Amino acid sequence: MNSVPSFLFTAIDVLHRLGLVSYVQQPSVTPVPSAVPPLPQGVRLAVSGVVLTGDAHVEASVAQVIPASLGHHFIILVGLYSYTVNNAFLFSIRNKTRLQFGIQLLPRKVAVYAGGKQPAYFDYSVHNEQWHWFAIEIRDKTVSMFAECGQKYYRREMLYEVEAFDLDSLFTLGRMNSHSVSFEGVICQLDIIPSAEASANYCKYMKQQCRQAESYRSPL
């Protein structure tokens, strides 16, 4: 079938909603400075995506990034290249008292905080000087991870299901909070899809700049 799955039209492009345009304008395009807001501190744009440095600070209300109707069943599609090995979060969602949701990129694991204090750990490292594309699926009390275009699959059961995010919660890109260590690297895609249809076959839905990212690998 050549038809496009309907859920693709409901994908939430997190980088776009944060005001980060993940492509570089072609030289033939006349820039309009008054129409382009300044980038946040520690952020620059590359052909391969959005580059975050150690002093990056990108934060917005969760209502600006994620619709209230997201529910307890969704997929997070990620494409990134890490420059530095640390314990930084790819992103976090926090209310006034605690962490509600987050993905932490540990030296040898990926941790997903999806309700409760205990995260789900997956034996997968993004800190090996290579591009990584993976999908995290949240389904009620189950957290799954798909890597290498579905060739690697991990599944963990949680004690609690993910809760609805408070409207006054904060979405922070590249950190757990303003005082924690920052992810240093390139993010070519960070999409949230309110459906499970993209999980195992997520590589079909990677953006073009992610597919071309290997060609644009550049030093710091």
Side-chain angles (χ1 to χ4, degrees):
M1 295 179 63
N2 295 322
S3 62
V4 178
S6 60
F7 70 84
L8 286 181
F9 298 108
T10 62
I12 301 160
D13 186 333
V14 172
L15 299 178
H16 184 266
R17 290 192 174 220
L18 290 171
L20 309 177
V21 182
S22 53
Y23 63 85
V24 175
Q25 287 184 331
Q26 298 299 319
S28 60
V29 178
T30 302
V32 185
S34 61
V36 180
L39 290 171
Q41 172 183 309
V43 178
R44 63 182 177 84
L45 302 182
V47 175
S48 54
V50 175
V51 181
L52 301 183
T53 62
D55 61 343
H57 186 76
V58 183
E59 202 164 63
S61 69
V62 75
Q64 176 184 330
V65 181
I66 300 174
S69 59
L70 181 62
H72 298 168
H73 193 186
F74 54 90
I75 300 289
I76 302 169
L77 298 183
V78 181
L80 59 79
Y81 185 98
S82 171
Y83 290 147
T84 305
V85 180
N86 57 28
N87 296 329
F89 275 64
L90 174 63
F91 72 87
S92 71
I93 296 174
R94 296 171 292 110
N95 60 17
K96 294 180 180 179
T97 59
R98 63 188 178 86
L99 177 69
Q100 289 190 296
F101 191 91
I103 297 178
Q104 188 177 20
L105 306 174
L106 298 166
R108 293 181 177 85
K109 295 179 184 293
V110 171
V112 179
Y113 295 79
K117 296 182 179 180
Q118 186 64 31
Y121 290 103
F122 301 104
D123 292 323
Y124 185 81
S125 175
V126 303
H127 303 295
N128 58 357
E129 300 182 350
Q130 295 181 14
W131 282 94
H132 289 272
W133 300 274
F134 57 90
I136 302 291
E137 178 185 349
I138 307 299
R139 184 194 292 265
D140 300 322
K141 295 183 180 180
T142 302
V143 181
S144 302
M145 180 174 179
F146 300 81
E148 298 182 9
C149 292
Q151 294 183 32
K152 289 189 176 180
Y153 171 67
Y154 312 84
R155 176 187 172 99
R156 300 287 184 271
E157 297 293 333
M158 305 292 289
L159 294 176
Y160 309 95
E161 65 181 23
V162 63
E163 59 189 52
F165 304 130
D166 297 337
L167 293 179
D168 60 348
S169 294
L170 285 176
F171 183 102
T172 304
L173 181 68
R175 295 176 181 267
M176 198 272 281
N177 56 46
S178 59
H179 305 293
S180 61
V181 65
S182 174
F183 169 76
E184 297 181 49
V186 187
I187 303 174
C188 68
Q189 182 170 5
L190 181 55
D191 286 0
I192 301 175
I193 298 178
S195 166
E197 297 178 59
S199 54
N201 298 316
Y202 71 92
C203 272
K204 293 181 180 179
Y205 314 113
M206 298 307 292
K207 289 194 165 79
Q208 187 62 30
Q209 70 258 23
C210 285
R211 298 182 187 280
Q212 298 174 345
E214 288 281 5
S215 303
Y216 301 118
R217 184 181 298 176
S218 58
L220 274 169

